[in-house]
Amino acid sequence: MSGWGVRVIALLAVVGSYWLVYQHGRSVERAEAATASAQRDSGDLLAEVLGERGARQEEQRRAAAHEEVRAHAREQRKIAEGSAAGADAAGQRLHDEAGKLAATVGCPGQDPAVAARSEAARRSAMVLSDLLARADARAGELAAAYDRARVAGLACEASYNSLVKPPG
């Protein structure tokens, strides 16, 4: 082989070795980039999993708080309904007593003027008894509506507070 051929082979060997070093450097760089990407992705995945876990825990906390509010509202409604039933019974007793009183108003007698006044007094007492019964019934309806609205409003407020305020 001539001197020129040896030089070409040596040059090709040098260029080839540079090429191999270059390719090795690229493969190392790609491996490091892949490792960094995998670490970043696993960190992102971990953050996502932890975020989802935290979101699920918050959702469960809110659901438990909401159910607690609903249970308390049911209890308050039962108490209010019991109170209303007691008030209705007392109102019925009052109405019965007023009816009895209205029925007994009057003076039996022979004098037509006294009998007419007695009948007028009895009718007035009956009208007042009826008016009392209707007013009491309406007051009972309004009280029951107020109780329902109050319980619902307090439940709504407690539910809202459980959503916006952190536990503790």
Side-chain angles (χ1 to χ4, degrees), residues 8-22:
V8 169
I9 290 177
L11 181 62
L12 285 176
V14 169
V15 169
S17 66
Y18 282 144
W19 179 254
L20 290 175
V21 168
Y22 170 76

Coordinates of all heavy atoms in Angstrom, one line a residue, residues 8-22:
V8 N -5.3 7.7 4.0 CA -6.8 7.7 3.9 C -7.4 6.8 4.9 O -8.4 7.1 5.5 CB -7.2 7.3 2.4 CG1 -8.7 7.0 2.3 CG2 -6.8 8.3 1.4
I9 N -6.7 5.6 5.1 CA -7.3 4.7 6.1 C -7.2 5.3 7.5 O -8.1 5.2 8.3 CB -6.5 3.3 5.9 CG1 -6.9 2.7 4.6 CG2 -6.9 2.4 7.1 CD1 -6.2 1.4 4.4
A10 N -6.1 5.9 7.8 CA -5.9 6.5 9.1 C -6.9 7.6 9.3 O -7.5 7.8 10.3 CB -4.5 7.1 9.2
L11 N -7.1 8.4 8.2 CA -8.1 9.5 8.3 C -9.5 8.9 8.5 O -10.2 9.5 9.3 CB -8.0 10.3 7.0 CG -9.0 11.5 6.9 CD1 -8.7 12.5 8.0 CD2 -8.9 12.2 5.6
L12 N -9.8 7.9 7.8 CA -11.1 7.2 7.9 C -11.2 6.7 9.4 O -12.3 6.7 10.0 CB -11.3 6.1 6.9 CG -11.6 6.6 5.5 CD1 -11.7 5.4 4.6 CD2 -12.9 7.4 5.4
A13 N -10.2 6.1 9.9 CA -10.2 5.6 11.2 C -10.4 6.7 12.2 O -11.2 6.6 13.2 CB -8.9 4.9 11.5
V14 N -9.8 7.9 12.1 CA -10.0 9.0 13.0 C -11.4 9.5 12.8 O -12.1 9.8 13.8 CB -8.9 10.1 12.7 CG1 -9.2 11.4 13.4 CG2 -7.5 9.6 13.0
V15 N -11.8 9.7 11.6 CA -13.2 10.2 11.4 C -14.2 9.2 11.9 O -15.2 9.6 12.6 CB -13.5 10.5 9.9 CG1 -14.9 10.8 9.6 CG2 -12.6 11.7 9.4
G16 N -14.0 8.0 11.7 CA -14.9 6.9 12.2 C -14.9 6.9 13.7 O -16.0 6.8 14.4
S17 N -13.7 7.1 14.4 CA -13.7 7.2 15.8 C -14.4 8.4 16.3 O -15.2 8.3 17.3 CB -12.3 7.1 16.4 OG -11.6 8.2 16.0
Y18 N -14.2 9.5 15.6 CA -15.0 10.7 16.0 C -16.5 10.5 15.9 O -17.3 10.9 16.7 CB -14.6 11.9 15.2 CG -13.3 12.6 15.6 CD1 -12.4 13.1 14.7 CD2 -12.9 12.7 16.9 CE1 -11.2 13.7 15.0 CE2 -11.7 13.2 17.3 CZ -10.9 13.8 16.4 OH -9.7 14.4 16.7
W19 N -16.9 9.9 14.8 CA -18.3 9.5 14.5 C -18.8 8.7 15.7 O -19.9 8.9 16.2 CB -18.4 8.9 13.2 CG -19.9 8.5 12.9 CD1 -20.4 7.3 12.9 CD2 -20.9 9.4 12.6 NE1 -21.8 7.4 12.6 CE2 -22.1 8.7 12.4 CE3 -21.0 10.8 12.4 CZ2 -23.3 9.2 12.1 CZ3 -22.2 11.4 12.1 CH2 -23.4 10.6 11.9
L20 N -18.1 7.7 16.1 CA -18.5 6.8 17.1 C -18.6 7.5 18.5 O -19.6 7.3 19.2 CB -17.6 5.6 17.3 CG -17.6 4.6 16.1 CD1 -16.5 3.5 16.3 CD2 -19.0 3.9 16.1
V21 N -17.6 8.4 18.7 CA -17.7 9.2 20.0 C -18.9 10.1 19.9 O -19.6 10.3 20.9 CB -16.4 10.0 20.1 CG1 -16.5 11.1 21.2 CG2 -15.2 9.1 20.4
Y22 N -19.2 10.7 18.8 CA -20.3 11.6 18.6 C -21.6 10.8 18.8 O -22.5 11.3 19.6 CB -20.3 12.2 17.2 CG -21.6 13.0 16.8 CD1 -21.9 14.2 17.4 CD2 -22.5 12.4 16.0 CE1 -23.0 14.9 17.0 CE2 -23.7 13.0 15.6 CZ -23.9 14.3 16.2 OH -25.1 14.9 15.9

